[in-house]
Amino acid sequence: EISLGLVGSEMCIRDRDIVVIGAGPVGLFTVFEAGLLGLNCVLIDNLDKPGGQCAELYPEKPIYDIPGVPHQTGQEHVNALLEQIKPFKYDLYLNQRVDSLEKINIDSDDYWQVTTSEGNAFTTKNVFIAAGAGSFEARRPPNIEEPDSYLDKGVSYAVRSVDRYRDKDVFIFGGGDSALDWTLELADKAKSLSLVHRRDAFRGALHSEEKVRELVKSKKVSLLTPYVINAITGNEKVTGVSLKNFDTNEIEEFKADEIVFLFGLNKKLGPILEWELELNNKKINVNTENFQTSKAGIFAVGDINDYPGKLDLILSGFHETTLAVQEAYKRIYPGERVPFGYTTSNTKLQQKLGVADK
């Protein structure tokens, strides 16, 4: 640790090779890539557990596009990443956000000072912003007064436990990938399942839509289009829902135990907007050589960044942070060769990972 004298007080500043803002999948994988090069990291996240949106919003949602892993839930993916980084040195600070990012000079060298809402401070040559799409809040249903009064009493904005919906009359609202995916996942678990959308067209993957329509034909799912929610009924708990037909304006009543609103997320960059980084539609512009932002030593990896051809996929974020860590090493050890090596042929790396004798 190093100590810097600040005006009016003395603050203990912890020195780290890389400060990672966001402990989602890409942030966790940053620890692995940094560890291979002998670099240490600190992860900072405003959630109460690592994993980002995968752990908070979609812990039981299947993920199919991780290379070599045919099927994995969001939480299983997070658990695998946590297991992968066990051999490496890192610290995890949860339930706090990064409030300030300030350029400072120590011994004639430039550093970044990162300070959190809980008063933890770090100096580093490299800041990795791996904050997904920023902080997020689920969009509420339009024209419904106080839907949150039924929160966890029959209303939810994410599926955190499949068991909650077993043998229940379930209504899912939405027209994107999440609505389609959870319809497929809960169809054989719910007592009855209805998918409600304002039009008979979806924004999600065509393959998922085709599978949902097959379930509709077999009467395992009820597809209600074009409908919008009119009201939630119930006292202490949800007992039903009324829907308005877009074509006829008629109101229809249905029995419901659980209602899941999947209208997407309102995304907020929060303090990132104050850091004077070059933005494009609330995403951070980066170069694709090393995914550095418009400020030297600040990198943006994962869904938070933007560049020509950008795809918001976890595997894209893994690629981005791998190249960014290489540049971070060069900033810490200028003029030195990055000690890159294939884990399949490097005995030292295998020993570090604990697999040298397997």
Side-chain angles (χ1 to χ4, degrees):
E1 293 184 350
I2 62 175
S3 182
L4 293 180
L6 300 182
V7 177
S9 66
E10 181 86 3
M11 180 181 289
C12 185
I13 310 292
R14 287 169 284 274
D15 190 15
R16 294 293 184 270
D17 293 328
I18 299 176
V19 172
V20 184
I21 303 172
V26 176
L28 294 174
F29 192 67
T30 301
V31 174
F32 178 79
E33 288 296 326
L36 292 179
L37 301 183
L39 306 181
N40 62 66
C41 296
V42 59
L43 293 162
I44 304 168
D45 203 295
N46 62 351
L47 297 176
D48 61 358
K49 56 184 175 294
Q53 293 186 32
C54 277
E56 179 68 9
L57 296 181
Y58 315 119
E60 297 194 33
K61 182 179 179 180
I63 299 175
Y64 299 105
D65 57 2
I66 303 301
V69 184
H71 178 280
Q72 197 175 50
T73 67
Q75 189 59 57
E76 287 171 344
H77 183 54
V78 172
N79 292 343
L81 287 165
L82 288 169
E83 183 68 25
Q84 187 180 35
I85 64 177
K86 275 185 177 180
F88 303 114
K89 182 179 179 181
Y90 71 99
D91 297 305
L92 184 60
Y93 288 77
L94 300 172
N95 289 311
Q96 53 198 289
R97 67 180 183 275
V98 172
D99 273 351
S100 67
L101 180 62
E102 181 184 1
K103 193 173 186 178
I104 61 175
N105 189 276
I106 303 175
D107 296 332
S108 301
D109 202 357
D110 289 334
Y111 287 79
W112 292 102
Q113 180 174 312
V114 179
T115 307
T116 77
S117 56
E118 296 298 312
N120 292 298
F122 308 89
T123 60
T124 184
K125 297 281 286 186
N126 304 288
V127 176
F128 279 45
I129 304 174
S135 61
F136 49 87
E137 180 182 84
R139 293 193 181 107
R140 271 41 180 174
N143 306 320
I144 299 295
E145 291 187 12
E146 299 183 0
D148 285 5
S149 63
Y150 291 103
L151 199 58
D152 296 324
K153 300 175 183 177
V155 165
S156 55
Y157 300 99
V159 177
R160 293 185 172 86
S161 172
V162 170
D163 288 338
R164 176 174 176 171
Y165 304 93
R166 290 186 187 277
D167 303 317
K168 302 284 185 65
D169 293 312
V170 181
F171 278 72
I172 294 178
F173 289 80
D177 282 314
S178 292
L180 294 172
D181 290 346
W182 282 119
T183 297
L184 294 173
E185 187 70 16
L186 298 178
D188 62 347
K189 299 173 179 65
K191 179 181 177 182
S192 69
L193 180 60
S194 300
L195 175 60
V196 185
H197 191 37
R198 54 190 170 80
R199 56 195 179 95
D200 194 40
F202 295 88
R203 302 182 308 278
L206 179 60
H207 177 66
S208 298
E209 179 181 345
E210 290 173 345
K211 292 177 70 174
V212 167
R213 293 192 184 275
E214 288 175 6
L215 291 175
V216 173
K217 287 181 181 179
S218 63
K219 298 185 178 180
K220 293 182 179 179
V221 168
S222 175
L223 179 60
L224 299 173
T225 61
Y227 283 85
V228 293
I229 188 166
N230 180 67
I232 301 170
T233 56
N235 293 318
E236 295 297 319
K237 192 180 183 305
V238 169
T239 58
V241 63
S242 69
L243 305 179
K244 180 180 179 180
N245 187 306
F246 251 11
D247 289 339
T248 65
N249 287 328
E250 293 182 359
I251 305 298
E252 301 179 31
E253 304 286 339
F254 298 86
K255 181 180 179 298
D257 299 309
E258 296 285 345
I259 301 171
V260 188
F261 294 113
L262 299 174
F263 295 136
L265 303 172
N266 287 318
K267 302 169 184 176
K268 300 177 182 178
L269 288 182
I272 294 176
L273 289 172
E274 302 171 6
W275 298 345
E276 298 180 349
L277 300 172
E278 185 178 311
L279 302 176
N280 181 32
N281 292 325
K282 294 188 177 181
K283 287 196 169 192
I284 303 172
N285 284 338
V286 294
N287 70 64
T288 53
E289 179 183 358
N290 51 35
F291 298 93
Q292 198 161 207
T293 69
S294 55
K295 293 191 175 182
I298 300 181
F299 303 82
V301 292
D303 291 357
I304 196 74
N305 71 17
D306 185 69
Y307 55 86
K310 168 69 179 181
L311 292 176
D312 288 341
L313 296 172
I314 293 174
L315 62 90
S316 298
F318 291 166
H319 160 76
E320 294 159 10
T321 203
T322 299
L323 295 185
V325 167
Q326 301 273 312
E327 181 65 22
Y329 185 94
K330 296 174 186 176
R331 288 178 50 78
I332 298 171
Y333 303 109
E336 291 191 20
R337 183 181 67 85
V338 179
F340 175 78
Y342 295 105
T343 55
T344 53
S345 58
N346 189 310
T347 303
K348 287 185 178 180
L349 288 179
Q350 291 174 11
Q351 289 173 341
K352 185 176 291 187
L353 296 171
V355 297
D357 57 346
K358 296 182 181 181

